Amino acid sequence: MSAYTRAKTIEDVTQSGAELRAGGTDIQERLRSGVTSLPIVDVAAIPGLDGVELHDDRAGIGALVSIRAVGAHPELQRRYPALTLPAQLLATPQARLRGTMGGVLCQRTRCWYYRSRHMPCPKKGNAERCPSRAGNHHFGVVFDFGPCVYPHPSSIGCALLTYDAELSVTGRGRMPVAELYGDGSALRDHSLDPGEMITAIHMPAAAAGERGGYQRLMSRALAEWPLVEVVVRLVVEDGVVRLARVGIGGVANVPFRLTEVEEALEGEAATDAEFEAAAKLATTRAKPLPQTQYKLPMVEALVLSTLLQARDEGGGDLDFAM
Amino acid sequence: MATADPELIQIRTRVNGEARSLTLDPRASAADVLREDLDLTGTKIVCAAGVCGACTVMIDGMPATACTLPACALADAELRTVEDMGRDIGGGLHPIQKAFLVHDGLQCGYCTPGFIVESISFFDRWRAKEGKTEPPRDAIAHALSGHLCRCGAYVGIYAAVAAACRGDFDGDALPDYPRHDGPQKVTGAARYTTDVRYPGMLTAKYLGSAHTHAKVLAMRFEAALAVEGVEAVLDVLDDPHRVARYAGQPIAAVAAVDEATAARALALIEVEYEPRPFVVDPYEALREGAPEVFPESKKHPANASEGPIPPATWEGNLRKPMLNKLLSSHKGRAHDKLARAQAGEDGLVLVEGTYHTAGQSHTSLEPHCCVARWTDEGLTVHTSTQSVHLLMQELAEHYRLKESQVLVHAEFVGGAFGGKQGLQLETTTAVDLARATGKAVRLVHDREEEMVFGGYRPLTRIELSAVTNAELEPLGLTMRAYGTAGVAVQSQAAPWVRMTYAGPKDLEDFDVTTNTSPGKPMRAPSGPPAFWALESLVDEVAHATGSDPVALRRKWDDSEVRRGLYDWAESLPEWQGRPKAGSQRGRMVSGVGLAIGNWFNAFHNATRVQLDAGPEGVVARCAVQDMGNGSRSVIAKAVGETLGLPLREVAVDLGASNLPPGPNSSASRTTASIYPTSLQAAEMLQAKLVAAAKKAGLRHPKYGLDAASGRGGIAHDGGFVPLSEFLRGLEAPIRVTSKRRGGNSTFDLLGAMPSGRMGISVYPKMTGSLAVVSVEVDTLLGRVYPRKVWLGLASGKIVNPELARSQAYGAVIQCLGAALTEERHYDPATGFLLSANLEDYRIPGIADIPPIEIFFDEGGFEGMKGGACGLSELAVLPTVAAVGNAVFNATGWRPRDVPLRPQRVQEHVAHLAHSSQEAG
Ligand SMILES: Cc1cc2nc3c(=O)[nH]c(=O)nc-3n(C[C@H](O)[C@H](O)[C@H](O)COP(=O)(O)OP(=O)(O)OC[C@H]3O[C@@H](n4cnc5c(N)ncnc54)[C@H](O)[C@@H]3O)c2cc1C
Ligand code: SF4
Ligand code: FES
Ligand code: FES
């Protein structure tokens, strides 16, 4: 196997059996620190994967489309506000420009044990047990789904879950996004093996009149990994919630949906009181760690705040993401 | 899976308009290739992780962080770096670059290339969409949110981008600008130590201790030395007992042809450790039977202060300086009042509180680094230091050389903040490796190393109590301050509390040592924690007694210097209109808080400034350094104004130790040392010029300014000769050297500073500061948003208002970081720093910065030569407490623990969000 392949076709990728490099905004740092080593396969130059295709009842997004291009796409903004809002707010402007849709879904954990070349972590194969669980997990999970206690990094993964989007993956055909992440019981950031590649993202039809909300709770205004992030899709007709989808990140080792909140909202009046009652269910499945208790009230508060945003604002464009 | 080195690949690309063929390691980043292969060093590497934006370049017209951009992505692309910006424009500067110069959107300049590239890209997009209009603050904040500046130049950056977009700098002209070395910084031409290259230069890397506390019994270097490309391996463990006392402490260093080779060799060093028990948490460290950090002797802790380490007694890990006794005044009375107040005596009001601060990392964007080289003449060292002259002396002593054999260079320093003083390990390591290999050796901390052992302000726990009565008399103040600087000592809150406010005081400082990396002196060592605690407490006293916070301070404060600041604060409409504490309900509440600072006033009494005047003009020379504080500008201004020369026409040569001695940039004395000395030199030069004019036969020559042009020159009976013209006709160049003298100081603390060489003099009057902060708190989410900050400074004459303001803004911004976001996190099992990067250690970004207003009260120091005091440290004292007091004013909840991150705030204020109805 060669240490480095510059793929021109998808077959080159499959054959390489190597870890992919797309925009490089994640993997490049790991290569420098030595946390990740060769072989790698560069996919950035494969033609035909950087387009957005719009149909009346669906949309397709190539895996090499940049996060920025998704966030800035007027038609995606109109139809899929809960996707374009996080695409405009996550990371930094530079990372959104170079970071790809495939990369944002498959990026590796930002856990400080994992990222430091001096620290052990079972995901790097140099520890048996997670050192963060017994150690410092201040930024850790509050929904304890499995061995890893660091939150999954993907904001877009969180958004795509609320749409039940599907992925085209080499050798696997189509698979739901939920399958990429699983339930958190495995010690992996996603379920793809080296040499496997997402080639496209498939968005189902948006609901008529759908509104979006996205909020991140951080200590700085912008460009910080969130303590909690929430994505909301909402359809309100005649003051009644017809559809509610709530995705949450920053709180578990996989992005997931708060189905209990969704169920409580659907069919109810879109009032502050109903939203507050539904938001209270957000922590039903939570299991905080000793140092992450503080996230419990945050989860509830941010779910409420994002529901209100979706109801009262709802658009998919932030004015400032030029 | 083990894989051999990859084959190198060939690509074609265009860089700054030139076609290039490159041979690359496919792992390399574009930043490595630009800096190491193409010598385009304007692109800086700071975080190497896509967080800080210092490495931002344009690829095919859009910005990208070059540290995360695979070099392979340059294939068939068009790349532009800061060096190319503005080149095609008349005058060679883009409107954005001119705007940064004029609005002073920079200090040390290390982040500047990235900001320039990103701002130009934003400018182009804004103009295309909105034409010549001014973008709102939010648009600028979003566009620049992928950039961090540790000096806190954001206020100038906002102003610069807005002005450039609205068209202020579209013409070819370059208006006057305040920062003398600005042009080199906005074009990427400024060369910092990290940019120095010698042919055949080796790269050095440290091996960190794998144990938190262990005796190093033996190290074997054979295997590492056998790696091809490795030229030397040295033991660098700096401990007389051969003990490593924190995880990651450098114990050995390798010099090799490149970084990858050095890294490979490090892994092959065999170390035999004898692990010992250790303690990481300061509370654990105080427990009976806790492992001791210095079990064999207490003689060699590192020093987190700028002063000498005074004698102390120890109990386990607790150190009690003997100095404590000197720092109290009327201790018995303070104690007695406290006891009576605690017993509930009538008429006494007792207020008590325990306040915490987290450690604050300096994290200068240019890390600690050194390039060293031995030549036949001696030793040349390039290093990022705030003490060029002192370091030269220390190196001469350490290596037993004559001072003339040592040359220290630091022409540009990418931030220091107190953490780069004197001889440090990166310098001795590079010098030793250079000697061992006979080659130039470069050692640059990576960001993780910089965060772990590059320095931080100690964390503190300060227990305070104050007793007063209905008349608001200061009846007694007691303090127990515990500072933790890991394996370092000398966190000292007591001196500052002693010097501030009247009344009996019983004050004690303690150090609690732990097996974590050493703190270092940081901008006003121990000042911000001391004033955070003291000024929070005073606010609590005001609240407890129902008195006005300013009236109470006026009563307690015996400083006349601060009176003008109190008047100014009381005149602010926002202060006058502040709500009653705790009166608001609902999701968004707002409040205003106030706090003061008090600092001593020092200068270096051996500074010399040399002026050379000749046909090429006037050159000022001094072995001082400019870390973004503006030394060049201060000297140019003093000389230029005295001689009637525009700032740009005074050449300033500094940052090299073969120049006349300059001050160590610590204790805020740079300006107070170089400004009067430069003035004096310019006056001496005037006299010499007049003498030369006489000799040349001009009748009744006098130095004067031409009324029309404002330019200086020689006025004589026959007319006026402008200086430049006069200099062109000079027969022999003129040299003068002036010297700063102790003069009117109360006492000269000769020898008090680190080496015992640098004289420091203290002027008998303290300087004063006062901050007012307005905040909004989202009670549902626990977010604190500063909305406006006012900072008043009474530090005498302001030599250069633009630069003084920039320093003050930067101080406020660093305080907002300490107050709201910055916190070091450790692994409890090893004591290793986990927040050792710029995403987990959160310094403020541009979007976090509210409008900031600076007020200078310049009176009160006329008696001091030059009348200008330092303000860099004074300016960092009051803002943290003012934020806390504003949060209290907004919410009725008293913060006692900073930073006020959402996780600390939310639980205390969330009830307000849910009770909006009650408020009506
Ligand atoms: C300061 C900062 C803040 C950030 N904040 C956020 C945030 O809030 N939310 C968020 O979601 N992200 C955030 N990011 C991460 C950023 O979004 C990702 O780094 C980026 O999206 C990765 O895309 P890339 O193309 O550069 O991936 P690369 O670095 O090229 O690859 C990342 C990983 O994905 C795999 N991969 C890439 N493409 C594919 C594919 N098509 N199929 C299968 N595997 C693939 C690679 O093998 C690699 O393991 C932040 C990054 C930075 C630097
Ligand atoms: S939290 Fe996850 S990534 Fe971090 S050390 Fe544990 S297993 Fe590794
Ligand atoms: S050095 Fe590249 S983003 Fe910080
Ligand atoms: S000027 Fe921005 S880091 Fe110094």
Side-chain angles (χ1 to χ4, degrees):
Chain A
M1 169 188 305
S2 66
Y4 173 70
T5 314
R6 185 148 192 253
K8 298 195 181 58
T9 64
I10 290 167
E11 291 69 53
D12 291 347
V13 181
T14 325
Q15 274 171 18
S16 75
E19 181 168 352
L20 279 60
R21 180 166 72 183
T25 57
D26 161 27
I27 195 175
Q28 205 57 34
E29 189 241 342
R30 291 185 272 122
L31 284 172
R32 172 191 289 266
S33 67
V35 165
T36 294
S37 49
L38 298 168
I40 54 171
V41 51
D42 240 317
V43 301
I46 301 178
L49 299 179
D50 58 353
V52 174
E53 245 180 60
L54 291 164
H55 303 277
D56 288 347
D57 60 344
R58 67 202 145 92
I61 304 172
L64 291 179
V65 174
S66 73
I67 300 167
R68 175 177 193 272
V70 168
H73 198 291
E75 192 53 26
L76 293 179
Q77 286 176 353
R78 202 181 60 76
R79 293 197 205 174
Y80 304 107
L83 171 63
T84 57
L85 287 174
Q88 290 169 66
L89 271 180
L90 66 82
T92 64
Q94 301 99 309
R96 296 194 295 267
L97 268 159
R98 297 303 301 183
T100 64
M101 289 299 278
V104 77
L105 292 175
C106 295
Q107 60 177 311
R108 305 302 307 272
T109 180
R110 308 303 291 203
C111 171
W112 45 23
Y113 288 89
Y114 175 82
R115 294 265 161 179
S116 167
R117 64 192 152 94
H118 294 110
M119 288 283 129
C121 159
K123 282 186 180 169
K124 293 188 286 192
N126 62 354
E128 266 177 32
R129 258 175 307 176
C130 166
S132 183
R133 184 178 286 277
N136 189 329
H137 50 256
H138 182 82
F139 294 106
V141 301
V142 61
F143 291 76
D144 191 1
F145 290 163
C148 173
V149 297
Y150 202 79
H152 195 277
S154 187
S155 308
I156 296 295
C158 197
L160 292 184
L161 283 173
T162 68
Y163 288 100
D164 293 314
E166 291 190 335
L167 310 171
S168 286
V169 177
T170 51
R172 298 200 194 195
R174 283 214 185 188
M175 74 185 230
V177 172
E179 235 172 74
L180 181 67
Y181 297 123
D183 60 6
S185 58
L187 244 179
R188 304 184 70 173
D189 295 321
H190 59 73
S191 59
L192 304 191
D193 290 325
E196 287 193 303
M197 178 176 184
I198 297 173
T199 54
I201 295 158
H202 305 281
M203 302 292 292
E210 113 166 45
R211 305 160 78 78
Y214 175 64
Q215 291 193 8
R216 308 156 65 86
L217 180 49
M218 310 183 278
S219 59
R220 287 190 304 212
L222 292 170
E224 174 172 306
W225 291 94
L227 297 167
V228 183
E229 62 184 327
V230 175
V231 181
V232 167
R233 289 175 66 204
L234 200 65
V235 178
V236 178
E237 268 172 28
D238 306 325
V240 175
V241 176
R242 294 294 170 209
L243 175 132
R245 292 287 177 275
V246 183
I248 188 159
V251 295
N253 59 16
V254 285
F256 69 105
R257 269 171 49 191
L258 293 171
T259 42
E260 41 288 81
V261 178
E262 298 172 355
E263 281 158 21
L265 285 166
E266 286 182 349
E268 300 298 328
T271 58
D272 286 10
E274 291 294 345
F275 280 15
E276 275 179 38
K280 285 208 161 54
L281 302 174
T283 50
T284 313
R285 280 178 281 161
K287 219 167 104 198
L289 305 178
Q291 295 151 24
T292 61
Q293 289 277 352
Y294 71 86
K295 284 193 180 181
L296 282 175
M298 288 183 172
V299 166
E300 196 182 308
L302 200 72
V303 166
L304 174 61
S305 183
T306 315
L307 286 169
L308 294 172
Q309 178 203 2
R311 185 191 68 187
D312 301 338
E313 298 164 29
D317 185 19
L318 291 163
D319 271 351
F320 301 121
M322 285 192 45
Chain B
M1 140 186 18
T3 321
D5 270 359
E7 272 174 41
L8 300 183
I9 60 155
Q10 307 277 341
I11 62 158
R12 303 173 71 75
T13 181
R14 286 180 74 80
V15 178
N16 294 343
E18 265 178 65
R20 298 273 199 164
S21 312
L22 300 173
T23 306
L24 304 171
D25 181 321
R27 286 168 293 195
S29 72
D32 295 330
V33 171
L34 289 169
R35 291 180 52 80
E36 303 304 324
D37 299 344
L38 303 180
D39 201 32
L40 289 167
T41 55
T43 300
K44 298 290 186 262
I45 296 179
V46 172
C47 69
V51 187
C52 75
C55 62
T56 300
V57 295
M58 274 196 217
I59 175 163
D60 295 329
M62 291 304 264
T65 47
C67 69
T68 63
L69 181 67
C72 300
L74 301 186
D76 307 314
E78 177 84 39
L79 191 86
R80 293 184 65 209
T81 67
V82 66
E83 286 90 346
D84 199 43
M85 300 293 141
R87 267 220 316 222
D88 48 344
I89 297 176
L93 290 174
H94 187 279
I96 282 286
Q97 289 169 310
K98 287 189 256 183
F100 268 66
L101 286 176
V102 172
H103 290 277
D104 204 32
L106 62 147
Q107 292 186 36
C108 78
Y110 211 73
C111 68
T112 309
F115 272 101
I116 292 287
V117 171
E118 188 86 47
S119 300
I120 288 176
S121 163
F122 172 72
F123 173 95
D124 292 343
R125 279 174 285 142
W126 182 262
R127 278 288 176 89
K129 198 163 157 238
E130 311 280 342
K132 260 192 212 183
T133 58
E134 182 175 318
R137 269 175 82 87
D138 272 9
I140 298 172
H142 271 266
L144 301 182
S145 60
H147 294 261
L148 295 171
C149 169
R150 188 45 161 167
C151 298
Y154 299 124
V155 179
I157 294 172
Y158 270 124
V161 175
C165 288
R166 71 172 177 248
D168 288 11
F169 298 96
D170 282 359
D172 279 354
L174 172 59
D176 280 341
Y177 52 86
R179 193 169 293 274
H180 195 264
D181 53 11
Q184 288 111 294
K185 291 175 176 174
V186 300
T187 54
R191 286 241 168 189
Y192 298 78
T193 300
T194 51
D195 304 329
V196 171
R197 304 283 181 274
Y198 284 107
M201 180 174 80
L202 303 174
T203 297
K205 276 186 90 65
Y206 286 133
L207 177 71
S209 168
H211 289 271
T212 310
H213 193 186
K215 187 156 183 125
V216 175
L217 300 175
M219 289 195 254
R220 276 179 288 278
F221 299 149
E222 292 78 7
L225 281 166
V227 174
E228 196 184 319
V230 170
E231 304 221 358
V233 184
L234 291 180
D235 181 333
V236 301
L237 176 58
D238 182 18
D239 185 278
H241 304 278
R242 305 296 303 152
V243 175
R245 294 177 207 274
Y246 64 90
Q249 178 174 352
I251 57 172
V254 170
V257 288
D258 58 26
E259 192 169 331
T261 308
R264 244 193 334 266
L266 287 181
L268 298 174
I269 296 177
E270 293 162 46
V271 189
E272 210 177 302
Y273 295 99
E274 181 186 279
R276 298 172 160 193
F278 59 86
V279 64
V280 166
D281 179 82
Y283 288 93
E284 287 292 312
L286 290 180
R287 279 231 315 250
E288 179 95 22
E292 285 191 31
V293 176
F294 296 100
E296 47 299 270
S297 106
K298 315 286 185 194
K299 280 199 194 123
H300 302 282
N303 190 350
S305 79
E306 290 174 348
I309 298 188
T313 57
W314 289 76
E315 262 170 44
N317 294 311
L318 182 71
R319 175 176 175 272
K320 307 177 180 179
M322 316 250 230
L323 209 63
N324 277 347
K325 295 194 182 68
L326 299 176
L327 285 169
S328 297
S329 74
H330 306 292
K331 185 172 167 169
R333 266 164 58 197
H335 229 70
D336 171 58
K337 276 289 185 295
L338 176 66
R340 287 203 264 153
Q342 279 169 338
E345 184 176 306
D346 258 8
L348 294 183
V349 181
L350 170 68
V351 178
E352 294 178 286
T354 298
Y355 306 88
H356 294 89
T357 60
Q360 183 174 31
S361 298
H362 304 67
T363 196
S364 308
L365 292 198
E366 183 184 33
H368 286 73
C369 52
C370 179
V371 177
R373 194 167 72 112
W374 289 85
T375 61
D376 294 343
E377 287 80 54
L379 173 64
T380 301
V381 162
H382 303 257
T383 185
S384 192
T385 180
Q386 55 197 90
S387 49
V388 167
H389 179 76
L390 170 69
L391 180 60
M392 175 275 290
Q393 294 176 311
E394 291 187 345
L395 279 166
E397 183 176 280
H398 190 86
Y399 291 99
R400 298 178 198 285
L401 298 167
K402 291 202 245 22
E403 291 192 359
S404 60
Q405 292 175 298
V406 180
L407 180 53
V408 175
H409 282 286
E411 280 79 8
F412 289 93
V413 178
F417 315 117
K420 294 180 177 170
Q421 299 181 52
L423 188 56
Q424 305 203 4
L425 188 65
E426 71 279 0
T427 303
T428 49
T429 303
V431 172
D432 291 342
L433 286 169
R435 185 148 66 177
T437 59
K439 296 190 178 164
V441 172
R442 158 177 72 174
L443 192 154
V444 179
H445 285 179
D446 65 24
R447 191 50 42 180
E448 187 172 68
E449 292 169 330
E450 187 62 16
M451 295 297 300
V452 173
F453 46 78
Y456 63 93
R457 188 191 288 297
L459 33 152
T460 63
R461 172 164 65 101
I462 300 181
E463 303 165 0
L464 273 172
S465 51
V467 182
T468 185
N469 55 15
E471 288 74 46
L472 299 180
E473 286 173 284
L475 298 176
L477 188 78
T478 65
M479 181 184 81
R480 301 279 170 278
Y482 299 85
T484 291
V487 299
V489 297
Q490 277 292 80
S491 167
Q492 304 165 291
W496 318 127
V497 175
R498 170 71 178 84
M499 288 188 260
T500 311
Y501 295 134
K505 291 174 189 162
D506 173 13
L507 311 173
E508 277 183 286
D509 273 321
F510 304 99
D511 288 296
V512 182
T513 52
T514 59
N515 290 106
T516 57
S517 54
K520 285 189 181 171
M522 181 172 181
R523 202 170 185 175
S526 302
F531 284 95
W532 149 250
L534 179 64
E535 286 297 282
S536 296
L537 180 86
V538 171
D539 203 63
E540 295 203 43
V541 172
H543 189 72
T545 53
S547 56
D548 176 85
V550 175
L552 174 69
R553 285 179 175 82
R554 282 190 193 273
K555 188 128 185 142
W556 287 17
D557 192 350
D558 38 22
S559 152
E560 76 170 86
V561 164
R562 253 181 315 274
R563 279 183 213 150
L565 297 181
Y566 290 129
D567 295 345
W568 161 76
E570 285 183 315
S571 75
L572 295 173
E574 288 83 353
W575 174 250
Q576 291 166 3
R578 71 192 183 280
K580 192 169 161 310
S583 62
Q584 302 163 76
R585 297 281 177 280
R587 178 158 177 188
M588 300 305 288
V589 296
S590 47
V592 185
L594 170 149
I596 66 154
N598 192 27
W599 203 247
F600 68 90
N601 180 4
F603 55 90
H604 171 231
N605 52 34
T607 293
R608 289 161 197 260
V609 173
Q610 171 184 320
L611 290 180
D612 287 298
E616 276 78 53
V618 179
V619 187
R621 298 195 155 91
C622 177
V624 63
Q625 47 288 321
D626 194 327
M627 309 89 59
N629 56 316
S631 302
R632 281 189 179 85
S633 315
V634 168
I635 294 174
K637 178 130 179 160
V639 173
E641 283 182 357
T642 310
L643 296 179
L645 273 180
L647 188 76
R648 301 181 217 183
E649 290 178 28
V650 181
V652 181
D653 198 0
L654 54 68
S657 64
N658 54 357
L659 301 168
N664 194 0
S665 289
S666 64
S668 292
R669 58 209 162 111
T670 310
T671 297
S673 309
I674 60 179
Y675 179 64
T677 319
S678 303
L679 279 180
Q680 196 186 328
E683 285 160 13
M684 290 163 68
L685 180 61
Q686 278 188 352
K688 287 242 181 164
L689 289 165
V690 169
K694 251 194 203 128
K695 224 177 120 198
L698 298 181
R699 288 177 60 83
H700 299 122
K702 270 202 335 243
Y703 203 89
L705 299 186
D706 176 41
S709 65
R711 285 185 159 254
I714 305 286
H716 59 99
D717 287 357
F720 181 82
V721 192
L723 177 61
S724 44
E725 197 183 315
F726 184 77
L727 291 179
R728 275 197 295 275
L730 262 189
E731 268 177 22
I734 301 178
R735 167 169 293 182
V736 296
T737 306
S738 63
K739 183 174 184 297
R740 179 74 160 118
R741 280 172 226 285
N744 49 10
S745 62
T746 11
F747 53 104
D748 284 0
L749 287 173
L750 275 167
M753 297 313 267
S755 78
R757 283 198 190 84
M758 297 295 281
I760 178 169
S761 301
V762 177
Y763 188 74
K765 203 181 217 178
M766 307 276 286
T767 54
S769 56
L770 188 156
V772 178
V773 175
S774 139
V775 300
E776 203 172 356
V777 181
D778 180 338
T779 57
L780 182 66
L781 301 180
R783 273 286 269 128
V784 175
Y785 298 95
R787 291 303 185 208
K788 179 139 190 195
V789 180
W790 296 260
L791 179 68
L793 297 169
S795 59
K797 181 179 151 82
I798 299 302
V799 175
N800 194 326
E802 288 97 339
L803 298 200
R805 231 174 270 130
S806 289
Q807 276 239 316
Y809 294 144
V812 167
I813 289 166
Q814 288 180 354
C815 289
L816 293 178
L820 299 172
T821 61
E822 294 181 34
E823 188 162 26
R824 287 166 66 92
H825 281 274
Y826 297 90
D827 174 36
T830 59
F832 195 77
L833 184 75
L834 293 168
S835 54
N837 56 66
L838 288 177
E839 58 191 79
D840 292 314
Y841 187 78
R842 293 150 155 90
I843 68 174
I846 188 165
D848 300 304
I849 304 312
I852 302 171
E853 243 174 61
I854 310 294
F855 166 72
F856 296 117
D857 186 355
E858 299 191 50
F861 295 90
E862 291 78 6
M864 191 173 125
K865 171 99 180 141
C869 323
L871 56 79
S872 162
E873 299 181 290
L874 178 67
V876 294
L877 303 174
T879 305
V880 180
V883 171
N885 294 341
V887 169
F888 173 73
N889 183 245
T891 64
W893 164 68
R894 167 63 57 189
R896 292 203 180 90
D897 211 349
V898 283
L900 295 170
R901 306 196 62 222
Q903 53 268 49
R904 281 220 171 90
V905 177
Q906 203 225 15
E907 61 171 313
H908 302 287
V909 300
H911 65 280
L912 297 175
H914 299 298
S915 53
S916 46
Q917 283 82 0
E918 296 152 41

